[in-house]
Amino acid sequence: MNYIKLAFHIDPIEPGRDILYAELDGLPVESATDTDTGVEAFIPEDQYSEVSESDFPMTSAVAELKWTVETVEQQNWNAEWEKNFEPIEVGSGLHIRAPFHESRAAEFDYEIVIEPKMSFGTGHHQTTWLMCQYLLDLDLKGKDVLDMGCGTAVLAILAKMRGAAYVEGIDIEEWAAENSRENAVRNGYEDIHIIHGDASDLGKRKFDVIIANINRNILTRDMESYTSVLNPGGTLLLSGFYESDVSVLEGVGKPLGFHPQRIETKDRWAALIWSKD
């Protein structure tokens, strides 16, 4: 399959880049990555239709936005991942690397090896980094954990490393679900259960911890589904949105019995920990 690469040039780059990422959620983008001048986004060729400035009103309001359009083969697209993918450090607790990077496991509490391919969740984005930080702080021993929108499965894998008894990941994209399975096996956790689907595929199993690093609209839509499968006293970890969205999420979560416990931010992105009645 070929992809359309949109190479965006943003001036000034901040806060334009963060705002552009939010607006790209409205397009069928399978992956996006930072560049020195902005963002490169990849859309399957058969899902692409011409974009215009009207697709990016918020970004255009704060920055000059230009872009080029190029058709690339999937093989070249994956090569772009490898060229741009650098290891991630989350304090001294976690090192995330690709198979072609040198191991530094002796220097960290945990090391995860992932092949990102087309999936979101490498640890580079602020929200994934924040969620990793939360998981490093939580007591997960013996807990049942659900990772909604699992992407590369990096958060699901970290949960298992932290002692979770059962971990389930769900992603709406078939290629992300397959990538999650591959990464789980790569790290020695074949027992992580990966589902291709969405919140409607949640069964009767209850969880002690739910991780949901998606986007504001999906989180608000699916909050009630999370409530139905989270044990009383359970923990909900949320990210994928801006600081300015926190009040919106609280307006949905509080009537469902969720109580804010902690908030962390990074470059205007936010992550929340909530407890359930």
Side-chain angles (χ1 to χ4, degrees):
M1 180 198 307
N2 288 339
Y3 286 81
I4 299 299
K5 180 174 77 172
L6 301 174
F8 293 94
H9 181 278
I10 309 167
D11 184 26
I13 200 164
E14 298 296 350
R17 177 154 56 193
D18 286 346
I19 297 172
L20 178 61
Y21 272 119
E23 293 189 307
L24 287 172
D25 279 344
L27 301 177
V29 173
E30 289 198 350
S31 179
T33 186
D34 290 354
T35 66
D36 291 339
T37 59
V39 173
E40 287 183 349
F42 296 85
I43 298 175
E45 187 176 35
D46 60 358
Q47 298 180 38
Y48 175 74
S49 58
E50 186 175 353
V51 297
S52 67
E53 191 169 315
S54 63
D55 292 298
F56 315 109
M58 294 186 294
T59 309
S60 298
V62 301
E64 181 182 4
L65 184 64
K66 300 178 181 177
W67 63 89
T68 60
V69 180
E70 177 186 355
T71 301
V72 295
E73 295 179 358
Q74 182 173 348
Q75 181 179 359
N76 293 337
W77 185 93
N78 286 335
E80 287 292 316
W81 263 114
E82 294 193 3
K83 184 177 71 176
N84 291 297
F85 183 66
E86 295 295 335
I88 302 101
E89 300 175 13
V90 183
S92 61
L94 176 63
H95 184 239
I96 304 171
R97 67 177 179 90
F100 47 84
H101 292 134
E102 183 179 352
S103 174
R104 294 174 57 195
E107 303 174 44
F108 295 84
D109 297 330
Y110 306 97
E111 182 175 79
I112 297 177
V113 182
I114 62 169
E115 183 75 54
K117 294 187 176 178
M118 296 181 289
S119 301
F120 174 82
T122 62
H124 288 90
H125 196 273
Q126 293 90 332
T127 59
T128 309
W129 193 96
L130 287 166
M131 295 294 257
C132 287
Q133 185 181 56
Y134 275 166
L135 292 176
L136 288 170
D137 291 342
L138 282 179
D139 178 10
L140 298 177
K141 290 183 179 179
K143 303 289 181 65
D144 287 355
V145 177
L146 171 66
D147 182 7
M148 292 298 303
C150 54
T152 62
V154 65
L155 299 176
I157 293 166
L158 181 56
K160 283 295 290 186
M161 288 181 167
R162 295 278 297 151
Y166 174 83
V167 176
E168 183 173 298
I170 299 179
D171 202 289
I172 196 169
E173 301 290 354
E174 186 173 3
W175 45 262
E178 183 58 33
N179 189 208
S180 289
R181 294 186 189 100
E182 292 171 356
N183 286 326
V185 171
R186 180 176 285 109
N187 287 273
Y189 296 103
E190 295 88 348
D191 58 337
I192 294 177
H193 185 55
I194 302 295
I195 297 171
H196 169 219
D198 57 22
S200 66
D201 293 288
L202 291 171
K204 296 181 179 180
R205 189 182 191 104
K206 299 286 186 176
F207 297 90
D208 304 300
V209 178
I210 296 177
I211 307 162
N213 182 20
I214 312 177
N215 65 55
R216 190 190 79 173
N217 292 338
I218 294 177
L219 292 176
T220 55
R221 183 194 70 193
D222 292 344
M223 196 78 68
E224 192 167 352
S225 296
Y226 304 156
T227 308
S228 68
V229 296
L230 185 63
N231 284 322
T235 301
L236 177 63
L237 280 62
L238 299 173
S239 197
F241 47 87
Y242 292 102
E243 293 178 66
S244 58
D245 295 322
V246 171
S247 60
V248 176
L249 291 163
E250 288 179 340
V252 176
K254 285 183 178 179
L256 295 173
F258 288 112
H259 303 285
Q261 298 295 311
R262 180 177 167 188
I263 178 171
E264 297 286 343
T265 61
K266 185 177 175 63
D267 301 330
R268 293 176 298 280
W269 293 91
L272 307 174
I273 292 183
W274 287 353
S275 62
K276 180 186 176 185
D277 287 335

